[in-house]
Amino acid sequence: MQELNQSFVFGVSVGEYNFIGRDEEMHRLKMNFKEGINTILISPRRWGKTSLIKKVCRDINKNDVLPVYIDIFRCKSEYELYNLFAKELLKQTSSHTELWMENARDFLSRLTPKIHISSEPYSEYSFSLGITPQTHTPEEVLELAETIAIRKGKRIVVCIDEFQQIGELADSLTIQKRLRTVWQHQKHVSYCLFGSKKHMMINIFQQRNMPLYQFGDMIFLERIPTWEWTKYIVSHFQERKRYISAEFAVRICDVVENHSSYVQQLSWLIFSLLNEGDTVTEVHFRKGLEGLLNSQEQLFLQQIESLTSYQMNFLRCIISGVSDGFGEESIRQEYNLGSPSNITRLKKSLTDKELVEQVGSKFYITDPVFMQWFKTRGYC
């Protein structure tokens, strides 16, 4: 089916028409995939990690590498993870016929899989495996990718989205040890692990006492530069016979700090105010920005409703321009932050809630639209 070219896309991964930039990152990822280098991709939420990985998977030469994409966000237990892992490996590396002829004769022989093939042409098939501790050990499931890669004579790269979910599972450390123990010895399979909770991903891969410490090449995704966004915004307006100046395109980027999803969303909200032949004005820009703030209001209210007065004060402190030195007496008194030990607790609690992030020794508000909302709604 031909991809529909939407003017701007947000909230989901984007296709070719709405993909922008990332040339250096794509080159590095393709090299890692082809050479069998494990990769850890880290960035704040909604910066385009999934879109980037899916594009690399689409573009890479399938004669060199078989990519497998797995989203584990909904996995709540260890064996839910293993069932999804095995299911997607089998599904994405096999045709309908191959699934039975090749894979069923060993791995599936101890199972009674249920496979549904639609009568509709070109439709995907679905199946469930029913893997349990009684049918397979974790190690057997985790070795499946290597088994398939050897059988097919190709390298496989397994891309696991929302990988921070591993840290939420019961007995997470044991699971991580199993992953490392099996994966580190595989010669024909590599892994690309990425997720939407930056601080949790950093904890998993950058703490020396964690099983997956320095498991692969660490890539920290940067913001797409303003000049690339400006070209994209202006051209996408123009293709639909609406017009926006480079100055307003730059302001869209500035107000959301080049946050990928918000650039797309604010551009769309402004675009939707125009009729064919119209040009963006200050009125359109302000209405679009207010629409963006309104669209996030319920989420932001939920995020602050359980915060303590000290936590709210810490947010006010950062939004007012303070990024470090919170322990200084003058800052503690001006913003009523409590004792130095209380500040340590504030940093941790608000980082865990993903309201603030630490960059070096400085702390910043994670979400630029939350910061705009916080100020305009009178919380500062």
Side-chain angles (χ1 to χ4, degrees):
M1 181 181 296
Q2 186 175 5
E3 181 182 352
L4 177 64
N5 289 343
Q6 298 173 265
S7 297
F8 300 96
V9 175
F10 53 92
V12 296
S13 62
V14 303
E16 295 294 332
Y17 180 71
N18 297 99
F19 191 89
I20 171 175
R22 304 296 188 201
D23 291 339
E24 292 184 8
E25 293 91 340
M26 284 194 292
H27 176 75
R28 185 168 167 186
L29 285 165
K30 287 178 182 178
M31 288 295 293
N32 285 358
F33 286 12
K34 286 192 288 187
E35 298 298 325
I37 304 297
N38 295 322
T39 306
I40 315 302
L41 183 63
I42 295 178
S43 80
R45 187 187 299 274
R46 294 186 296 173
W47 273 32
K49 293 181 294 296
T50 300
S51 297
L52 172 60
I53 295 300
K54 286 187 174 182
K55 177 166 176 58
V56 172
C57 289
R58 287 194 302 268
D59 291 353
I60 201 164
N61 189 335
K62 304 304 188 296
N63 291 323
D64 297 329
V65 177
L66 286 177
V68 174
Y69 170 83
I70 307 173
D71 184 344
I72 66 169
F73 179 72
R74 297 185 184 278
C75 294
K76 304 301 181 186
S77 69
E78 182 176 9
Y79 267 80
E80 280 187 43
L81 171 67
Y82 297 149
N83 270 278
L84 182 61
F85 182 83
K87 172 185 171 181
E88 292 302 324
L89 271 169
L90 292 167
K91 183 176 180 180
Q92 295 182 44
T93 61
S94 306
S95 70
H96 295 190
T97 303
E98 288 174 331
L99 179 64
W100 288 104
M101 294 180 63
E102 293 187 25
N103 299 324
R105 64 186 178 209
D106 45 49
F107 184 80
L108 297 180
S109 61
R110 284 170 283 161
L111 300 173
T112 54
K114 297 178 180 178
I115 299 180
H116 172 74
I117 301 177
S118 173
S119 59
E120 296 295 324
Y122 309 113
S123 64
E124 291 190 351
Y125 59 89
S126 63
F127 61 94
S128 57
L129 296 178
I131 298 170
T132 69
Q134 288 70 45
T135 64
H136 290 81
T137 66
E139 290 74 17
E140 285 180 289
V141 180
L142 295 173
E143 283 286 4
L144 178 60
E146 181 80 352
T147 301
I148 294 174
I150 292 172
R151 178 178 296 158
K152 290 184 174 293
K154 291 186 178 181
R155 180 173 297 282
I156 289 176
V157 57
V158 181
C159 304
I160 303 183
D161 202 347
E162 302 292 356
F163 190 80
Q164 80 284 335
Q165 190 66 24
I166 294 290
E168 303 282 0
L169 301 180
D171 203 9
S172 172
L173 282 179
T174 298
I175 296 171
Q176 291 178 50
K177 289 176 183 176
R178 286 172 176 157
L179 298 182
R180 177 113 199 192
T181 298
V182 175
W183 288 353
Q184 69 182 345
H185 297 297
Q186 294 179 343
K187 304 299 183 184
H188 303 84
V189 181
S190 60
Y191 296 84
C192 178
L193 311 174
F194 56 109
S196 60
K197 294 188 177 181
K198 181 180 176 181
H199 75 284
M200 291 183 66
M201 291 290 288
I202 290 175
N203 288 341
I204 290 173
F205 295 105
Q206 290 200 316
Q207 288 194 18
R208 291 180 179 273
N209 62 337
M210 296 296 282
L212 292 170
Y213 172 67
Q214 292 190 342
F215 180 68
D217 178 24
M218 302 283 292
I219 300 177
F220 288 87
L221 210 58
E222 301 291 339
R223 290 177 172 86
I224 295 172
T226 299
W227 70 266
E228 287 196 74
W229 275 123
T230 300
K231 181 179 178 182
Y232 170 90
I233 294 168
V234 170
S235 66
H236 277 229
F237 269 75
Q238 190 170 2
E239 287 175 15
R240 296 295 194 275
K241 297 183 180 180
R242 278 84 169 166
Y243 304 96
I244 184 171
S245 67
E247 289 74 19
F248 275 117
V250 168
R251 285 180 63 185
I252 289 173
C253 297
D254 288 347
V255 76
V256 299
E257 298 179 5
N258 291 46
H259 186 294
S260 295
S261 182
Y262 285 143
V263 171
Q264 296 265 20
Q265 186 173 1
L266 181 53
S267 296
W268 166 250
L269 290 171
I270 295 172
F271 178 92
S272 68
L273 297 171
L274 304 181
N275 295 314
E276 187 173 309
D278 287 348
T279 299
V280 172
T281 66
E282 183 68 24
V283 172
H284 297 129
F285 181 84
R286 292 187 178 277
K287 283 185 176 180
L289 180 57
E290 185 60 25
L292 179 60
L293 297 179
N294 288 338
S295 73
Q296 304 298 308
E297 185 148 42
Q298 289 305 310
L299 170 63
F300 294 157
L301 286 170
Q302 290 174 12
Q303 289 178 317
I304 68 170
E305 67 181 359
S306 63
L307 298 184
T308 67
S309 59
Y310 281 128
Q311 289 171 332
M312 290 289 285
N313 290 343
F314 193 76
L315 293 178
R316 294 186 184 101
C317 180
I318 295 178
I319 290 173
S320 298
V322 180
S323 58
D324 61 2
F326 304 102
E328 295 178 12
E329 185 174 357
S330 59
I331 293 177
R332 287 192 292 112
Q333 290 183 352
E334 180 178 356
Y335 293 99
N336 188 22
L337 300 178
S339 65
S341 61
N342 189 51
I343 291 173
T344 300
R345 290 191 290 270
L346 290 173
K347 291 176 179 176
K348 183 180 186 307
S349 63
L350 291 173
T351 299
D352 289 344
K353 294 176 183 292
E354 295 190 285
L355 288 171
V356 305
E357 63 173 330
Q358 184 174 1
V359 181
S361 62
K362 299 179 183 293
F363 284 80
Y364 302 94
I365 300 297
T366 302
D367 189 325
V369 175
F370 174 84
M371 183 166 63
Q372 290 286 334
W373 175 84
F374 199 91
K375 289 190 290 187
T376 59
R377 298 306 191 256
Y379 290 104
C380 278

